[in-house]
Amino acid sequence: MAEKTGPGPSGDFRELAKSFGGVAAEYDRARPSYPQELFDALERLAGRGLEGARVLDVGAGTGISTRLLADRGADVVAVEPNAGMAGQFLAASPGLGLVRGSGDELPFHDGSADFVTYAQAFHWTVPEKSVPEAIRVLRPGGALALWWNVKDSGVAWVRALGERLHAALPSTYHGYGAVNEVTSHLAPYDLRTEHTRLRWERRVSVDHVITDLTSRSYLAALTPEQRAPLLAVEREALLAEFPDGTVVEPYVLDLTVAITPS
């Protein structure tokens, strides 16, 4: 999941999080994946490989990151609190394990994991709970890894899209600029913290981008009648920018890895 920024989910944002269940299929179909360079960087910063590692992928959603971790040879279990997202995960990820739960109260034994990962999800937790929980379930020298795909607002059309959404939805759309600031909550703990930033892009159709927008919490929480005119505006703007119908989406991918004492 990913939209809300700030130190932890308020009641309003917890309600927003529930909206993902109704758009789980759109989420799985249209959300961006992750380049293999992300997992290379994760292994480098953690000082160990994913092959054979026990990984808890928390806030796994429909399994976009979980499947990639499994492809790298990890022994991965997904953790997801939302019933709709969990259902889509099971449909899209046969053979992968799923546990219903949240990062604020991980249903795992002490010292049982090599990695705890959050892909687009840590900002939906209460860090005062989720960080100690991650430390509890990690083995000595284990790694808590947090990462986010964020469209690059240095590109004019991306910046304009954000400005339109903020004007239309001022109470729920707050942009993505502060999403990585939640990693400041790692500071009180005895963790060695590493960070890197990657840049990548994908080429998708205008329809694909509209489906992706539909899966965002600030739009998913609206009724179809409320959502339709906003999406129509974005479709028109995208076609004006990309008249051939192929959108080049630039992403900034922030990765923070926090390693427990060994």
Side-chain angles (χ1 to χ4, degrees):
M1 303 181 214
E3 281 87 45
K4 177 258 174 187
T5 62
S10 67
D12 289 344
F13 282 122
R14 287 190 184 279
E15 288 303 310
L16 272 182
K18 293 178 183 177
S19 69
F20 286 119
V23 293
E26 291 84 351
Y27 189 111
D28 193 56
R29 184 167 68 251
R31 285 294 183 103
S33 187
Y34 304 98
Q36 286 301 314
E37 289 79 6
L38 167 66
F39 302 101
D40 295 339
L42 173 55
E43 292 178 326
R44 183 180 74 254
L45 296 183
R48 66 153 299 164
L50 288 163
E51 179 78 35
R54 178 66 162 175
V55 180
L56 309 180
D57 190 30
V58 188
T62 64
I64 294 171
S65 60
T66 315
R67 294 189 288 270
L68 293 172
L69 287 162
D71 288 345
R72 295 287 290 222
D75 174 17
V76 59
V77 174
V79 183
E80 172 55 43
N82 184 285
M85 297 287 266
Q88 182 65 35
F89 177 98
L90 293 172
S93 312
L96 293 181
L98 171 70
V99 173
R100 293 290 303 280
S102 78
D104 295 340
E105 191 173 352
L106 290 169
F108 298 94
H109 294 300
D110 295 1
S112 59
D114 300 302
F115 290 86
V116 173
T117 60
Y118 282 89
Q120 312 288 118
F122 184 72
H123 53 289
W124 292 102
T125 74
V126 178
E128 293 79 9
K129 296 180 179 180
S130 60
V131 177
E133 274 293 271
I135 293 170
R136 178 184 65 79
V137 302
L138 283 168
R139 295 167 180 148
L144 168 62
L146 321 172
W147 65 82
W148 289 271
N149 265 327
V150 177
K151 288 188 180 71
D152 187 353
S153 60
V155 176
W157 77 264
V158 173
R159 186 166 58 252
L161 182 153
E163 290 169 352
R164 288 191 300 271
L165 289 173
H166 179 68
L169 302 167
S171 63
T172 53
Y173 181 83
H174 303 291
Y176 299 84
V179 72
N180 207 39
E181 293 176 8
V182 295
T183 58
S184 64
H185 291 271
L186 302 172
Y189 305 95
D190 186 19
L191 303 171
R192 177 168 60 85
T193 304
E194 307 281 353
H195 176 262
T196 193
R197 175 171 287 180
L198 307 173
R199 293 181 182 275
W200 71 286
E201 63 183 30
R202 69 172 182 170
R203 285 170 166 78
V204 293
S205 68
V206 168
D207 284 344
H208 197 106
V209 177
I210 295 301
T211 302
D212 184 359
L213 282 171
T214 303
S215 79
R216 304 287 167 169
S217 64
Y218 45 82
L219 289 174
L222 303 178
T223 66
E225 293 76 19
Q226 293 170 321
R227 197 162 52 228
L230 298 176
L231 293 175
V233 168
E234 296 312 319
R235 181 184 296 278
E236 182 179 359
L238 287 167
L239 286 171
E241 182 72 24
F242 301 98
D244 68 349
T246 299
V247 180
V248 180
E249 284 189 323
Y251 284 94
V252 177
L253 179 48
D254 276 297
L255 167 66
T256 296
V257 178
I259 301 167
T260 61
S262 56

